[in-house]
């Protein structure tokens, strides 16, 4: 029986489907409607929502196995397109779409980049910042023509900063027109095929044997320290165990170990929930979105830390997080904390694990975990893992093995605070990089290279970074096993040189200096804005 050729759909028909609630994206020139799949998606629906109206071929290929991709093509395609696809702005990001019954007005530039400037963010930034100060909307013509009132309230300065950062990115990176980006995509896909051919998606299980020996040795040292009554030292070894376990959990959650969804998920749950007290399901939902909208202040949950940290002056506009679905208020607490964020950054990293507990339980006790499809049972396994963790760690270690309250407190605090370098590793590869939006025409590989940096370190120190030092490579090819990333790095460097994209590679110290410098810069902007607003308030009284 000859397979039926999917119907050819026009751009207008696809727009109408999205306007009617269709979760539509493009995959290998086929039109995919993911509404029926969204409740079953193990990574949650947020990642899908950020791909609506876009060609998601590279994102889907990077984050999913070939079998899952083929399942989408066979089960959820409703049509096909011809030629190249011009991306819409997804509804969750502010795109507006016309239904079938709507008239045919002039083209609405909010749904596509065809009639936009370099960045949709620049326009929304100005509107949000001025609305916050009660100025109302302003025309785009005022970008270069600023009134004296605007000069006084500090908004013009922040507008200029936004414009300068976008301009710098446009000058530093290849043009975001479609012909240029299409050439980059073609080279990126060729590189992926080369990685497959060279067998670099295959896992080095011997390397995990070495990882297991290292972790068991650290755990044995923790038990020995407890036996000798060295509770703070024991806590340090416990934190080191968690650090090393997180690296394996990260690999498993990306299906980078066995490449089997259920096996790798079980490995991740065993490491994350049973041994670490964290939720691998939460991590997947959060991390998948991070991989798609990296460093987008409104959308990437991995850079949304108000009231304690702001990575861009755009947070001064009290942005709404599309991931958390609430306004990140730039209130009195945030205004105070952001002024000193370059000093508070490292102290905050020492308590980062407590925030992960909060996020894990917020996820597990919500309706977010998938209760249908292949992952329906994962929640039950995770809850079992949480009970197991707090039994062995909370009861058997803290309560039964340590006789004094001071000893328990020392072990508990040190075991959590010693993981601070791990949280620094999570942030250093993104915090210092661009948060500008160059529009929906920017390709997936260029956006990942523009918003992510690698940490340079000798091979013998790889165990300390656990693969997180290769974040650029990981963002381009998330399913490549950790122990192959150093080999792929050389290939990516060649790719970057060929397509003209700068490859950000810094030492660990230099990378940290850039992060602190970025935080200090935003802090300075916060002080300028506060002084301007105080001056205006004084004149108005």
């Amino acid at each position: 029986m000859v397979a039926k050729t999917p119907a050819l759909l026009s751009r207008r028909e696809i727009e109408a489907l999205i306007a009617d609630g269709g979760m539509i994206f493009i995959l290998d020139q086929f039109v995919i409607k993911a509404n029926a799949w969204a409740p079953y998606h193990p990574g949650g629906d947020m990642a899908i929502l950020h791909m609506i109206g876009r060609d998601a071929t590279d994102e889907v290929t990077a984050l999913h196995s070939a079998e899952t991709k083929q399942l989408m093509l066979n089960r959820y395609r409703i049509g096909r397109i011809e030629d190249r696809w011009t991306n819409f702005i997804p509804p969750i990001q502010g795109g507006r779409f016309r239904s079938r019954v709507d008239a045919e007005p002039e083209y609405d530039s909010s749904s596509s980049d065809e009639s936009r400037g370099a960045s949709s963010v620049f326009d929304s930034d100005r509107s949000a910042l001025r609305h916050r100060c009660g100025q109302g909307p302003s025309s785009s013509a005022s970008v270069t023509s600023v009134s004296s009132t605007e000069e006084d309230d500090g908004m013009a300065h922040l507008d200029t900063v936004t414009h300068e950062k976008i301009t710098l990115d446009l000058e530093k990176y290849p043009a975001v027109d479609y012909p240029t980006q299409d050439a980059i995509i073609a080279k990126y896909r060729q590189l992926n095929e080369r990685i497959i051919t060279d067998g670099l998606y295959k896992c080095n299980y011997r390397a995990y044997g070495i990882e297991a020996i290292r972790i068991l040795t650290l755990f044995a040292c923790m038990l020995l320290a407890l036996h000798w009554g060295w509770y703070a030292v024991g806590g340090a070894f416990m934190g080191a165990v968690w650090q090393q376990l997180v690296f394996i959990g990260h690999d498993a959650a990306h299906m980078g170990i066995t490449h089997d969804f259920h096996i790798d998920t079980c490995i991740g749950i065993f490491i994350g929930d049973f041994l670490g007290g964290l939720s691998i399901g939460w991590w997947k939902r959060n991390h998948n979105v991070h991989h798609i909208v990296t460093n987008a202040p409104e959308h990437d949950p991995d850079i949304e830390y108000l009231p304690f940290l702001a990575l861009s002056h755009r947070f001064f506009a009290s942005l709404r997080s599309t991931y958390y679905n609430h306004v990140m208020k730039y209130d009195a607490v945030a205004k105070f904390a952001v002024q000193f964020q370059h000093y508070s950054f490292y102290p905050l990293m020492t308590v980062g694990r407590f925030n992960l507990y909060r996020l894990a339980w917020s996820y597990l006790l919500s309706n977010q975990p998938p209760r249908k499809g292949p992952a329906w049972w994962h929640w039950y396994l995770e809850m079992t893992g949480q009970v197991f963790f707090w039994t062995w760690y909370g009861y058997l270690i803290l309560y039964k093995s340590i006789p004094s309250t001071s000893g328990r407190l020392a072990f508990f605090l040190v075991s959590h605070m010693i993981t601070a370098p791990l949280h620094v590793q999570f942030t250093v590869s993104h915090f210092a990089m661009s948060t500008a939006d160059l529009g929906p025409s920017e390709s997936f590989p260029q956006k990942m290279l523009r918003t992510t940096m690698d940490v340079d370190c000798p091979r013998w120190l790889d165990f300390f970074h656990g693969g997180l030092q290769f974040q650029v490579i990981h963002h381009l090819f998330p399913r490549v096993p950790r122990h192959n990333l150093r080999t792929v790095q050389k290939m990516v460097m060649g790719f970057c040189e060929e397509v003209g994209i700068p490859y950000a590679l810094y030492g660990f110290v230099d990378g940290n200096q850039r992060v602190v410098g970025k935080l200090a810069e935003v802090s300075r902007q916060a002080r300028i804005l506060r002084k301007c607003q105080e001056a205006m308030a004084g004149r108005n009284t």
Side-chain angles (χ1 to χ4, degrees):
M1 182 177 178
V2 180
K4 183 179 179 181
T5 302
L8 186 65
L9 297 178
S10 69
R11 181 177 180 81
R12 182 67 185 88
E13 289 173 315
I14 294 172
E15 181 184 8
L17 288 170
I18 296 173
D20 293 338
M23 301 173 82
I24 309 294
F25 59 85
I26 308 302
L27 178 60
D28 287 336
Q29 295 299 100
F30 290 104
V31 181
I32 307 297
K33 184 176 182 180
N35 295 66
W37 171 241
Y40 301 89
H41 186 220
D45 61 350
M46 291 300 299
I48 298 174
L49 292 174
H50 283 286
M51 284 290 97
I52 292 177
R54 296 178 58 89
D55 187 332
T57 301
D58 292 313
E59 288 84 348
V60 170
T61 302
L63 291 167
H64 297 82
S65 66
E67 293 76 17
T68 300
K69 181 178 175 181
Q70 197 59 42
L71 173 69
M72 293 184 194
L73 288 171
N74 292 338
R75 187 172 297 180
Y76 301 110
R77 64 184 179 188
I78 61 171
R80 58 187 175 89
I81 61 170
E82 286 185 338
D83 303 320
R84 70 126 27 253
W85 176 255
T86 301
N87 289 327
F88 286 116
I89 296 174
I92 196 172
Q93 297 180 12
R96 297 189 294 274
F97 297 82
R98 299 165 297 169
S99 66
R100 290 183 177 86
V101 297
D102 288 340
E104 297 286 340
E106 291 186 10
Y107 188 78
D108 181 7
S109 65
S110 69
S111 294
S112 172
D113 70 329
E114 292 176 350
S115 302
R116 300 191 68 83
S119 173
S120 60
V121 166
F122 183 57
D123 298 333
S124 62
D125 246 3
R126 295 180 53 82
S127 175
L129 286 168
R130 298 193 186 290
H131 177 71
R132 179 167 175 75
C133 291
Q135 294 182 18
S138 61
S139 67
S140 59
S142 64
V143 171
T144 56
S145 177
V146 183
S147 69
S148 60
T149 301
E150 290 169 339
E151 289 174 353
D152 289 340
D153 71 7
M155 291 296 101
H157 170 72
L158 297 184
D159 284 346
T160 302
V161 171
T162 302
H163 186 71
E164 287 176 351
K165 289 185 179 299
I166 293 171
T167 301
L168 285 173
D169 276 3
L170 290 172
E171 292 174 350
K172 185 177 180 180
Y173 292 88
V176 291
D177 60 85
Y178 279 114
T180 301
Q181 295 300 307
D182 286 349
I184 292 172
I185 290 171
K187 295 289 185 181
Y188 167 70
R189 293 176 182 176
Q190 290 174 10
L191 177 58
N192 186 51
E193 290 301 319
R194 181 183 165 194
I195 292 172
I196 294 172
T197 302
D198 290 355
L200 294 172
Y201 275 101
K202 296 178 180 178
C203 183
N204 181 356
Y205 294 111
R206 178 178 176 276
Y208 278 110
I210 297 173
E211 303 288 349
I213 293 171
R214 181 184 298 118
I215 292 169
L216 289 172
T217 301
L218 290 170
F219 191 79
C221 290
M222 183 271 292
L223 294 177
L224 186 61
L226 287 182
H227 177 71
W228 288 341
W230 298 352
Y231 302 125
V233 174
F237 280 116
M238 185 73 259
V241 169
W242 282 336
Q243 182 209 34
Q244 293 297 309
L245 285 173
V246 163
F247 301 145
I248 301 178
H250 180 252
D251 299 341
H254 276 294
M255 293 192 300
I257 299 178
T258 69
H259 302 302
D260 180 276
F261 170 69
H262 287 297
I263 296 177
D264 276 357
T265 298
C266 286
I267 294 173
I269 291 175
F270 175 72
I271 289 172
D273 294 86
F274 283 75
L275 300 183
L278 307 178
S279 168
I280 207 69
W282 160 78
W283 183 90
K284 280 190 176 185
R285 178 181 172 85
N286 177 287
H287 202 65
N288 287 344
V289 175
H290 163 68
H291 269 264
I292 290 172
V293 288
T294 308
N295 268 23
E298 307 98 325
H299 313 304
D300 183 358
D302 276 11
I303 66 167
E304 295 176 346
Y305 292 104
L306 275 183
F308 303 109
L309 299 172
L311 301 187
S312 167
H313 61 269
R314 294 181 52 218
F315 285 101
F316 304 163
S318 290
L319 300 175
R320 171 172 286 278
S321 167
T322 56
Y323 182 84
Y324 294 111
N325 194 28
H326 69 236
V327 174
M328 298 176 286
K329 293 181 179 179
Y330 188 62
D331 54 18
V333 175
K335 289 178 181 178
F336 176 80
V338 168
Q339 292 183 75
F340 309 102
Q341 62 180 3
H342 46 304
Y343 299 113
S344 64
F345 172 65
Y346 291 110
L348 285 172
M349 294 300 102
T350 65
V351 296
R353 191 171 183 86
F354 296 107
N355 186 49
L356 296 184
Y357 289 145
R358 179 187 67 85
L359 292 169
W361 281 103
S362 296
Y363 167 81
L364 290 170
L365 298 179
S366 71
N367 61 357
Q368 294 177 354
R371 303 298 173 88
K372 302 177 181 179
W376 69 267
W377 52 274
H378 292 173
W379 180 85
Y380 298 96
L381 186 59
E382 286 205 76
M383 292 302 291
T384 303
Q386 292 294 323
V387 173
F388 181 86
F389 171 77
W390 289 109
T391 298
W392 77 260
Y393 176 74
Y395 179 71
L396 295 177
I397 297 291
L398 282 179
Y399 182 72
K400 294 289 289 184
S401 301
I402 304 176
S404 65
T405 300
S406 60
R408 291 167 187 158
L409 188 62
F411 184 89
F412 179 76
L413 291 178
V414 172
S415 65
H416 285 73
M417 294 172 66
I418 205 70
T419 62
L422 177 64
H423 298 284
V424 172
Q425 288 172 300
F426 285 142
T427 60
V428 71
S429 292
H430 298 294
F431 274 24
M433 300 302 288
S434 175
T435 58
D437 180 1
L438 301 189
S441 59
E442 185 178 29
S443 65
F444 172 73
Q446 177 164 312
K447 183 174 179 62
M448 295 304 102
L449 287 158
R450 186 172 58 83
T451 57
T452 312
M453 64 172 244
D454 272 357
V455 173
D456 192 19
C457 76
R459 185 182 294 272
W460 65 266
L461 201 55
D462 282 354
F463 81 93
F464 177 77
H465 294 282
L468 299 181
Q469 75 272 36
F470 300 117
Q471 280 293 295
V472 170
I473 318 304
H474 173 66
H475 269 255
L476 290 171
F477 307 102
R479 292 181 300 105
V480 169
R482 183 213 317 177
H483 303 98
N484 295 337
L485 292 176
R486 185 174 286 277
T487 302
V488 177
Q489 183 185 51
K490 298 177 182 178
M491 301 164 70
V492 170
M493 286 179 172
F495 161 77
C496 288
E497 184 176 352
E498 187 175 1
V499 299
I501 299 178
Y503 176 72
L505 177 65
Y506 303 102
F508 189 65
V509 174
D510 190 14
N512 275 266
Q513 290 175 339
R514 289 174 178 272
V515 168
V516 174
K518 174 75 167 289
L519 294 172
E521 177 190 356
V522 177
S523 176
R524 180 180 61 82
Q525 293 164 356
R527 292 194 296 272
I528 291 173
L529 178 60
R530 178 176 56 83
K531 290 178 180 178
C532 290
Q533 291 176 338
E534 288 175 351
M536 282 196 65
R539 287 199 300 269
N540 293 333
T541 57

